[in-house]
Amino acid sequence: MQYRFGKRLHCEFALQVNMDRVKIPKLIFQPILENAIKYGEAEDGSINVRLGVYERAGELVISVANDGVPIPPEQLQELQSLLKGRDNPTVHTGIYNVHRRLRLMYGDKYGVEIYSEAPGGTRVELKLPLRT
């Protein structure tokens, strides 16, 4: 991605102490990170992406955020509804597949949540059990 977007792409990684030892499923946040880059272009053309890994209330949270144009409210509602359902009749396969995979592996308490609001940016959180 750095080759494709060059100097426009800026990535920041924030890893809470000891989070480098937690176990997560392979390739679980790759589609989310790719979406953050692909759809995260700000009005000035820059792409600022932040990946955070931390513990919250005894659970592991992987947060992927960008500073791009927020998801329109109707589309955000569609995505959030999609994650609540059991079928995916849309083209949003990456985020849906990650969500379903987490739910199948760990139960309905876990999965993907999407936040997007003005003045800009979108944040996707993956919630998993904390395992080392």
Side-chain angles (χ1 to χ4, degrees):
M1 290 292 189
Q2 191 70 56
Y3 179 77
R4 179 178 174 191
F5 294 104
K7 293 181 181 182
R8 294 183 327 150
L9 176 60
H10 305 276
C11 295
E12 179 182 320
F13 303 97
L15 188 65
Q16 184 178 331
V17 175
N18 295 327
M19 289 294 116
D20 59 340
R21 301 187 195 285
V22 297
K23 295 181 181 179
I24 63 171
K26 292 180 181 182
L27 304 174
I28 200 69
F29 63 84
Q30 178 186 352
I32 309 302
L33 188 58
E34 287 178 352
N35 280 351
I37 294 169
K38 183 177 179 182
Y39 299 110
E41 185 173 344
E43 290 182 8
D44 67 0
S46 66
I47 304 168
N48 299 302
V49 177
R50 293 172 306 284
L51 173 69
V53 180
Y54 55 92
E55 179 268 334
R56 180 174 66 206
E59 297 175 329
L60 175 65
V61 176
I62 300 171
S63 174
V64 179
N66 65 42
D67 295 337
V69 177
I71 299 171
E74 308 81 35
Q75 186 178 3
L76 180 61
Q77 178 64 36
E78 176 188 328
L79 288 168
Q80 291 170 335
S81 294
L82 171 68
L83 296 178
K84 292 177 184 173
R86 293 257 182 233
D87 295 320
N88 180 14
T90 71
V91 297
H92 305 290
T93 56
I95 198 162
Y96 180 80
N97 288 346
V98 168
H99 180 69
R100 292 293 300 149
R101 188 171 165 207
L102 291 175
R103 289 255 168 124
L104 289 169
M105 292 178 78
Y106 304 117
D108 290 345
K109 179 180 174 183
Y110 302 100
V112 175
E113 294 179 8
I114 307 168
Y115 307 92
S116 188
E117 52 194 46
T122 298
R123 185 178 80 252
V124 175
E125 290 186 353
L126 287 68
K127 189 168 69 167
L128 300 85
L130 186 57
R131 297 181 177 176
T132 54

